[in-house]
Amino acid sequence: MHGLGNDFMVLDATREAIALAPGDIRAMADRHFGVGFDQLLLVERAPHASVDFGYRIFNADGGEVEQCGNGARCFARFVREQGLTDKDHIRVQTCGGAIELHITGHGDVRVDMGVPRLLPAEIPFDAPAPALSYPITVEGEALELAVVNMGNPHAVLRVDDLGRAPVARLGPLLERHPRFPARVNVGFMQILTPERIRLRVHERGAGETLACGTGACAAVVAGRRLGWLGRDVTVGLPGGELQVTWPGEGHPVSMLGPATRVYDGLWLWPDAARAGEAQDAKVHAALATIAVDRQKRA
Ligand SMILES: N[C@H](CCC[C@H](N)C(=O)O)C(=O)O
């Protein structure tokens, strides 16, 4: 599945627990020797009664992270189409907090991403005191950035021309800067009007992606706090547009956008692929199940 080109492998772990080692995830994420994705999403049983599902997110580098906005929209579409729920409002628990997913009538999904956290210690980011933005030096270059936690950590820099933004050079340097002890996602924001920005994101553990939902939310929060943006902002990303709304400090951020299912498939563990007849029978049985699921969805 993908959300504006930010692509995911989504696994249903509600029927049986799925435990994947980081090396397994890296192998699956490989775009030549595996399936290929930015993040892997696990759909799990609800960990407690106040949510409908558990939602775990793993970057392509195999590390587990706290939140994924584009993935949340795909999560909602997946659990509905798999018949795991018939609700339009779905509450899920991630390790970065609980979020609300709302399936709209037009195939889009609106996500209540929760209240952004802004104190340096909450990002986490090493800084002497809270501020709207912070000076930071990277290989002798003086920069100014804002920091926002949307469940996961984000740094946001304003640029005048996104096409010339040094995403490939500064993204990895800031991602691993020592002042971000948990590393960080790095957004480069060009402000067109108070209601419209363009954004590129170098994601922690995945590199630059075609879209980043939590990055879009973090950019709007940072821009609004600095007086550059209004309440409702259209965020133009390389993969498409998200609508983000933030009424202000203490309020949750809302994000609206599409979720696309590309295909269903089977992952054959390299050693199992050579298992011969027993594996063939399992593959045919699983393909039959996929065909039935597709008929149910049709
Ligand atoms: N693509 C995701 C963000 C993944 C965040 C991950 N890269 C991290 O390390 O926090 C989104 O749409 O919000």
Side-chain angles (χ1 to χ4, degrees), residues 6 39 59 65 67-70 152 185 203-204 212-214:
N6 179 201
Q39 280 90 25
N59 278 327
V65 293
Q67 195 53 272
C68 179
N70 286 324
N152 57 351
N185 297 284
E203 286 195 25
R204 176 180 62 171
C212 182
T214 50

Side-chain angles (χ1 to χ4, degrees), residues 30-73:
D30 189 286
R31 293 194 181 279
H32 300 287
F33 296 99
V35 173
F37 51 74
D38 293 328
Q39 280 90 25
L40 184 149
L41 312 181
L42 277 193
V43 179
E44 295 190 327
R45 291 175 184 276
H48 48 79
S50 65
V51 296
D52 300 296
F53 295 98
Y55 169 28
R56 294 178 71 185
I57 303 120
F58 299 85
N59 278 327
D61 69 358
E64 183 163 8
V65 293
E66 310 90 341
Q67 195 53 272
C68 179
N70 286 324
R73 301 196 310 275

Side-chain angles (χ1 to χ4, degrees), residues 266 268-269 272 276-289:
L266 290 172
L268 295 182
W269 295 103
E277 304 223 336
Q279 180 67 18
D280 288 352
K282 277 181 70 175
V283 167
H284 289 305
L287 287 172
T289 305

Side-chain angles (χ1 to χ4, degrees), residues 56-106:
R56 294 178 71 185
I57 303 120
F58 299 85
N59 278 327
D61 69 358
E64 183 163 8
V65 293
E66 310 90 341
Q67 195 53 272
C68 179
N70 286 324
R73 301 196 310 275
C74 291
F75 186 107
R77 179 162 186 170
F78 182 85
V79 294
R80 276 297 298 271
E81 291 184 353
Q82 292 299 107
L84 296 175
T85 182
D86 58 2
K87 291 183 175 180
D88 285 333
H89 295 185
I90 303 161
R91 187 166 168 78
V92 303
Q93 183 71 48
T94 74
C95 59
I99 55 176
E100 300 264 352
L101 319 179
H102 304 268
I103 296 175
T104 71
H106 319 290

Side-chain angles (χ1 to χ4, degrees), residues 139-258:
E139 293 192 339
E141 185 176 350
L143 302 170
E144 188 80 10
L145 55 75
V147 292
V148 180
N149 184 291
M150 289 304 305
N152 57 351
H154 286 268
V156 182
L157 295 89
R158 181 174 181 176
V159 296
D160 296 331
D161 177 352
L162 200 60
R164 297 164 51 135
V167 178
R169 178 173 65 83
L170 285 182
L173 291 173
L174 284 167
E175 175 192 354
R176 297 179 177 280
H177 195 284
R179 290 179 65 185
F180 291 102
R183 298 188 291 153
V184 71
N185 297 284
V186 187
F188 297 80
M189 165 173 69
Q190 178 181 351
I191 295 184
L192 303 178
T193 72
E195 287 73 40
R196 180 175 285 274
I197 64 172
R198 293 178 63 215
L199 180 70
R200 290 171 65 186
V201 182
H202 168 91
E203 286 195 25
R204 176 180 62 171
E208 182 175 2
T209 57
L210 292 177
C212 182
T214 50
C217 296
V220 171
V221 168
R224 183 154 167 70
R225 294 184 80 222
L226 286 157
W228 302 329
L229 295 179
R231 180 183 182 278
D232 302 292
V233 181
T234 298
V235 181
L237 296 133
E241 291 186 346
L242 291 173
Q243 304 303 325
V244 176
T245 295
W246 187 49
E249 310 255 351
H251 292 276
V253 186
S254 175
M255 169 191 61
L256 174 69

